[in-house]
Amino acid sequence: MKWSNFENNIKKELSGQRPEIDTNALWGLIEQDVDAINYQKKKRRGGFFWLFFGGLLIAGAGLGYYYLNQNDFGNNIIVEQETIIENEDLATNLSLVGDETREIDKKEIATVSTKNELTPKTLAGKGFNENGKNAKPAKKNVFQKSAIAKTPSLNKNETEEAAPKIVVQKTQASESLAIADLITEKKEAASVIETEENTTTEAIKIEADDLVKATSAKEQIPEANQEDQKDLLSTIIDSKEEQEVTLNSKDKEENPNESNAENPFQFYVNLQGGVSFSSRNLEATDPSFDTLLQLREGSENQLETSSIGLQIGLAHQSGLELTTGINYTQINERYSYNEIVTETDSIYGVEKLVKNLENGFDTIWGNVPLDRITTLNKEIFNRFKMYEVPILLGYRISKGKYRIGVQAGVFANLQMKTEGRVLENTKEDIDVTEAGIYKSKVGLSYYAGLSFGYLLNENLEIYAAPSARFFPKNFAVDSYGLSQKYKLYGLNLGMRYSF
Amino acid sequence: MIQPCRRFKRRQGFNIFFLSIQSKQILVTEKKLIQDCQNGIKSSQYLLVKRYSSMLLSVCRRYTRDESMAKDVLQETLIRIFQNIDTYEDRGSFEAWMRRIAVRRSLQWLEKSCFNHEMQPLEMPDKEVIVPEIYAQLGTQEILALLEELPDGFKTVFNLYVVEGYSHKEIGNLLSISENTSRSQLARARKVLQKKLTQFQKGSCYEVV
């Protein structure tokens, strides 16, 4: 037990030991190595950023190219051919010798026809299987949905809290008292700091002791007369200016981003992409178009909407931001419709059976009429491709490495291109571009969103931005019988680079 | 012509001015300091050196043979801290993290200077070690002087176990020795210390009544 007390005593004494050391000399010895370490880190981060950005750009461009180009209009039809050959008249094409009549049903005829050299092989040669159905396999051109490229981005926010700066107020005669008050406040703050975790109480005690000395020194100042105080103040101000020049120039050299703290504005670039859910409002402008409305609602449904944009903005240190840029949005819908096509054709086969004198049947060959019924399942993807310019006002707050913001504004539509097909009253589908159903510009859309960001380093930030957009204007031309408007609710992922 | 009282007051003004800088530095919490150092802000890195170099020097001094070696180790420790500060996660004490780096650097320096651990495993002292009463009256310098007289191997194990709080297993991993060797080294260190304390007691005026 005594030995443990001894060792505890040793531990206590040695742990509290603080030998004197010349910090400035020590810093002078390691400063170059520290600069090299900082340079390597910045280089690594910069390299990582450009590598990631380049990879992201290539991936996004590749996905975008694949997604946009694989939906050529001509390949959007899925055709399932079901061909039924019906020969209802064959049973009536019987002629019998003599008074005996007998109905021969279809099955018997088919059986007889296969026995009479109309073998499956023969049939196959003519393009039919033994059941008389079209032996050619149905061709299917299936549209394959491509995954929407989600582009997480890196978000960087400059450290808004700069290193402690020296501020000495240019005051008048009472400045010395103001400085003394400042020291008193700092002393009180220092006592608060002492209660925090992870602070070196020893160091604070040393520094607090220095403050006590300063506070006691302050008591001499009020005794000085006005002139002396002015001299003192002017000396303080001069020394302060020197210090500010030295420190500010040091800061600017070493931390160019910190020098921006003097400039309240900062530029940033956002690259973002996202997916939205679209809600369509389709209404008949006149009751006479109700049938068309029902046809269209029954044949169309909404798919995901994708968007990608590059934005540039200006942020003020108060948190306000103004953003603009260029944005591409694509609203996707699916038009699906079953169309039945009936074609009349003929086939060389057993035209009729004739009873002969020997109580048998003679086969009469000829052209047999038949109906070929084809069911087409059409599935076509309609697209609204919009090029827009956003003008957004936002406000952001920061909490450590996290950023929370809100944005609202408008998206000005520069151009809209449409492709696809829709049904019309005659139950035939028409090409939307040829028919001129939709406008080429849809004006302004209103935008509101939040953003949640995380700072990766001084310049890079990644963020997620849930948002809502509302298109108040009708997408269709005024002469069309239906009004078509959209609301989008989605999530964007982005990367911000501040400079 | 500046009157002496004005010069005095001007100097006081300077002191107040510089102390205001220091007082602002107090307001920088450790978490903020670590963040700024991770972001490569040089003024914060200087502040970290200023705040912790004394503590780190005391750690290095315990394992090295002299003051100059301790300062060399301190420099390497600080550089290593700045290199690896990005890997520091906000779990556990930052000071303890730095101390571990200082201990490892110190031990590596000892290895480089061809330090041989007195590895005589499995030999435990014969008798139980009894600490003389004098220990309660020893100051820091006396304790340091006693520890300095220990052989390097004993001193290292003693410091790691008693002062830094490493377990024998951890000491074994650090020094590439077995756990049993670490235990025997500690026991031997205690025995040597006991002898020295007894000698100190006989030679000092602090005699136990």
Side-chain angles (χ1 to χ4, degrees):
Chain A
M1 195 56 92
K2 279 186 182 173
W3 189 262
S4 64
N5 289 343
F6 170 59
E7 289 183 348
N8 286 338
N9 190 35
I10 289 180
K11 183 176 181 178
K12 192 180 163 189
E13 290 290 334
L14 294 182
S15 299
Q17 196 191 12
R18 293 288 181 270
E20 280 193 19
I21 183 167
D22 185 356
T23 313
N24 289 331
L26 177 63
W27 178 253
L29 290 170
I30 65 171
E31 191 177 359
Q32 272 190 351
D33 293 311
V34 172
D35 286 341
I37 292 167
N38 290 340
Y39 175 73
Q40 286 300 322
K41 279 188 186 174
K42 274 190 184 164
K43 207 173 157 187
R44 227 180 299 141
R45 282 176 190 158
F48 171 74
F49 164 71
W50 289 114
L51 202 66
F52 187 87
F53 184 74
L56 206 64
L57 214 56
I58 292 168
L63 279 169
Y65 181 80
Y66 173 75
Y67 180 72
L68 293 173
N69 285 333
Q70 67 147 352
N71 288 327
D72 289 339
F73 176 66
N75 292 330
N76 284 353
I77 300 175
I78 301 170
V79 176
E80 290 178 2
Q81 291 183 345
E82 293 178 355
T83 307
I84 301 169
I85 302 171
E86 294 182 358
N87 193 350
E88 291 175 352
D89 296 334
L90 184 60
T92 62
N93 289 337
L94 292 172
S95 61
L96 301 167
V97 176
D99 297 329
E100 200 172 332
T101 60
R102 188 161 66 89
E103 280 191 9
I104 303 174
D105 59 2
K106 290 180 200 175
K107 193 177 172 184
E108 195 174 330
I109 291 165
T111 311
V112 167
S113 67
T114 55
K115 284 179 182 174
N116 292 329
E117 297 177 359
L118 200 63
T119 60
K121 207 173 175 180
T122 316
L123 282 170
K126 295 184 185 297
F128 292 90
N129 57 23
E130 61 181 54
N131 294 326
K133 293 205 173 170
N134 193 340
K136 288 181 186 173
K139 276 189 183 176
K140 287 191 183 185
N141 293 322
V142 182
F143 170 74
Q144 295 169 2
K145 281 189 224 179
S146 63
I148 303 296
K150 287 185 183 170
T151 58
S153 62
L154 294 175
N155 219 340
K156 180 264 167 190
N157 201 341
E158 73 290 356
T159 48
E160 295 173 5
E161 302 165 299
K165 275 214 154 181
I166 297 162
V167 176
V168 174
Q169 302 162 1
K170 283 193 181 179
T171 63
Q172 297 163 1
S174 59
E175 183 181 24
S176 58
L177 292 174
I179 292 171
D181 288 339
L182 178 68
I183 292 166
T184 312
E185 285 173 16
K186 300 297 184 252
K187 189 185 172 190
E188 287 169 6
S191 65
V192 171
I193 298 289
E194 280 182 1
T195 64
E196 288 182 5
E197 295 176 7
N198 297 330
T199 49
T200 308
T201 54
E202 293 293 331
I204 291 171
K205 276 182 192 168
I206 292 166
E207 290 170 345
D209 286 342
D210 290 335
L211 281 173
V212 169
K213 288 177 196 168
T215 314
S216 61
K218 144 198 156 185
E219 291 168 5
Q220 299 177 21
I221 296 169
E223 295 173 1
N225 58 26
Q226 288 280 331
E227 287 182 1
D228 286 344
Q229 283 190 353
K230 278 180 189 172
D231 284 340
L232 178 65
L233 289 171
S234 62
T235 315
I236 290 170
I237 289 163
D238 290 341
S239 63
K240 158 224 155 184
E241 282 172 351
E242 281 177 16
Q243 282 286 330
E244 273 194 348
V245 167
T246 315
L247 285 164
N248 284 342
S249 62
K250 261 192 185 175
D251 279 345
K252 276 180 188 167
E253 282 167 12
E254 296 151 6
N255 299 295
N257 286 332
E258 283 194 334
S259 67
N260 288 340
E262 297 173 356
N263 178 11
F265 291 98
Q266 191 170 38
F267 283 100
Y268 57 86
V269 172
N270 288 349
L271 177 66
Q272 67 178 39
V275 180
S276 302
F277 158 75
S278 65
S279 168
R280 184 177 73 171
N281 184 20
L282 196 64
E283 285 179 350
T285 56
D286 190 86
S288 60
F289 295 106
D290 284 345
T291 311
L292 177 62
L293 175 67
Q294 283 171 15
L295 280 172
R296 284 204 53 188
E297 280 183 344
S299 61
E300 295 168 25
N301 58 310
Q302 308 303 302
L303 299 175
E304 70 286 343
T305 296
S306 53
S307 71
I308 186 166
L310 183 67
Q311 298 172 347
I312 186 164
L314 188 64
H316 189 259
Q317 65 182 13
S318 62
L320 287 173
E321 297 177 342
L322 184 65
T323 309
T324 186
I326 187 84
N327 198 74
Y328 171 78
T329 302
Q330 182 169 296
I331 298 177
N332 301 307
E333 294 177 345
R334 175 167 45 212
Y335 159 67
S336 54
Y337 185 63
N338 289 340
E339 188 176 319
I340 298 172
V341 175
T342 305
E343 294 171 332
T344 304
D345 202 348
S346 63
I347 181 174
Y348 185 77
V350 176
E351 193 177 3
K352 51 189 172 183
L353 293 172
V354 177
K355 196 171 182 183
N356 55 25
L357 295 171
E358 294 166 0
N359 287 327
F361 289 93
D362 289 329
T363 308
I364 308 296
W365 291 87
N367 286 326
V368 179
L370 55 86
D371 295 329
R372 185 177 287 121
I373 301 169
T374 307
T375 304
L376 299 175
N377 291 331
K378 284 186 178 178
E379 195 166 279
I380 295 168
F381 294 89
N382 297 346
R383 292 192 172 37
F384 300 88
K385 299 179 180 178
M386 295 181 281
Y387 301 90
E388 302 153 316
V389 170
I391 301 167
L392 306 172
L393 192 63
Y395 178 74
R396 279 183 132 211
I397 56 172
S398 54
K399 186 89 179 163
K401 281 196 173 185
Y402 295 96
R403 302 286 180 266
I404 300 171
V406 61
Q407 266 189 331
V410 295
F411 277 66
N413 179 251
L414 300 176
Q415 191 188 28
M416 182 171 77
K417 291 182 183 175
T418 54
E419 63 183 35
R421 298 182 83 86
V422 294
L423 277 180
E424 57 172 6
N425 275 329
T426 58
K427 296 190 184 178
E428 300 276 336
D429 53 62
I430 53 173
D431 185 281
V432 296
T433 311
E434 289 172 7
I437 292 175
Y438 296 112
K439 297 173 181 171
S440 61
K441 287 180 189 175
V442 289
L444 295 177
S445 60
Y446 302 111
Y447 173 92
L450 301 171
S451 87
F452 302 96
Y454 180 76
L455 201 65
L456 290 178
N457 61 34
E458 283 179 17
N459 303 96
L460 280 176
E461 180 186 329
I462 53 171
Y463 64 88
S467 64
R469 266 175 71 185
F470 170 58
F471 292 85
K473 284 199 176 173
N474 185 5
F475 275 39
V477 295
D478 295 335
S479 57
Y480 190 61
L482 300 181
S483 158
Q484 189 167 338
K485 298 178 185 176
Y486 287 91
K487 291 176 191 168
L488 306 178
Y489 307 97
L491 179 69
N492 282 322
L493 299 177
M495 171 176 63
R496 171 180 285 208
Y497 183 78
S498 300
F499 52 94
Chain B
M1 180 87 180
I2 300 169
Q3 294 178 11
C5 62
R6 282 189 196 174
R7 200 185 314 146
F8 171 76
K9 287 185 177 68
R10 194 180 303 128
R11 195 176 304 125
Q12 289 300 316
F14 274 123
N15 289 340
I16 292 165
F17 176 74
F18 283 115
L19 286 167
S20 70
I21 301 169
Q22 290 179 350
S23 66
K24 277 195 185 280
Q25 291 169 348
I26 289 171
L27 294 178
V28 178
T29 62
E30 186 177 273
K31 200 172 178 182
K32 177 75 174 66
L33 188 66
I34 296 165
Q35 255 178 19
D36 288 348
C37 289
Q38 287 171 339
N39 291 333
I41 297 174
K42 211 167 166 184
S43 53
S44 296
Q45 288 168 330
Y46 172 78
L47 188 59
L48 187 142
V49 170
K50 187 170 186 294
R51 203 181 266 194
Y52 295 109
S53 57
S54 184
M55 179 271 292
L56 291 171
L57 181 64
S58 71
V59 173
C60 298
R61 188 65 192 87
R62 287 201 284 274
Y63 298 93
T64 52
R65 290 186 185 139
D66 51 42
E67 194 72 25
S68 62
M69 191 191 275
K71 286 183 177 171
D72 291 337
V73 175
L74 174 62
Q75 284 177 39
E76 282 207 14
T77 302
L78 287 167
I79 290 166
R80 190 57 68 98
I81 286 169
F82 288 125
Q83 275 175 345
N84 296 323
I85 198 166
D86 288 340
T87 62
Y88 172 72
E89 293 168 10
D90 204 7
R91 289 183 289 180
S93 160
F94 180 60
E95 213 174 293
W97 180 78
M98 287 194 293
R99 288 162 73 100
R100 279 198 293 274
I101 295 176
V103 166
R104 283 196 205 112
R105 294 309 298 163
S106 305
L107 294 175
Q108 282 172 10
W109 262 81
L110 288 174
E111 288 281 350
K112 271 193 223 172
S113 56
C114 303
F115 159 65
N116 292 318
H117 303 286
E118 286 82 10
M119 285 194 280
Q120 296 173 29
L122 306 177
E123 255 186 67
M124 301 295 285
D126 299 329
K127 294 177 190 174
E128 189 187 334
V129 178
I130 301 166
V131 58
E133 294 291 336
I134 190 72
Y135 84 89
Q137 297 165 18
L138 290 175
T140 310
Q141 295 305 318
E142 284 92 349
I143 292 171
L144 270 176
L146 276 175
L147 289 176
E148 282 298 315
E149 291 175 17
L150 286 175
D152 285 342
F154 297 163
K155 183 172 80 173
T156 304
V157 173
F158 188 87
N159 273 316
L160 286 172
Y161 185 83
V162 172
V163 184
E164 306 297 339
Y166 284 89
S167 66
H168 287 296
K169 191 178 177 184
E170 288 168 333
I171 294 169
N173 289 335
L174 272 172
L175 301 179
S176 304
I177 56 175
S178 69
E179 211 174 309
N180 281 338
T181 305
S182 173
R183 287 181 204 281
S184 73
Q185 296 279 300
L186 178 67
R188 286 174 161 272
R190 283 170 174 165
K191 200 172 178 189
V192 172
L193 270 174
Q194 183 202 11
K195 276 185 192 166
K196 293 195 182 294
L197 279 168
T198 310
Q199 286 168 5
F200 188 83
Q201 183 176 347
K202 283 177 185 171
S204 76
C205 57
Y206 296 110
E207 286 191 3
V208 177
V209 175

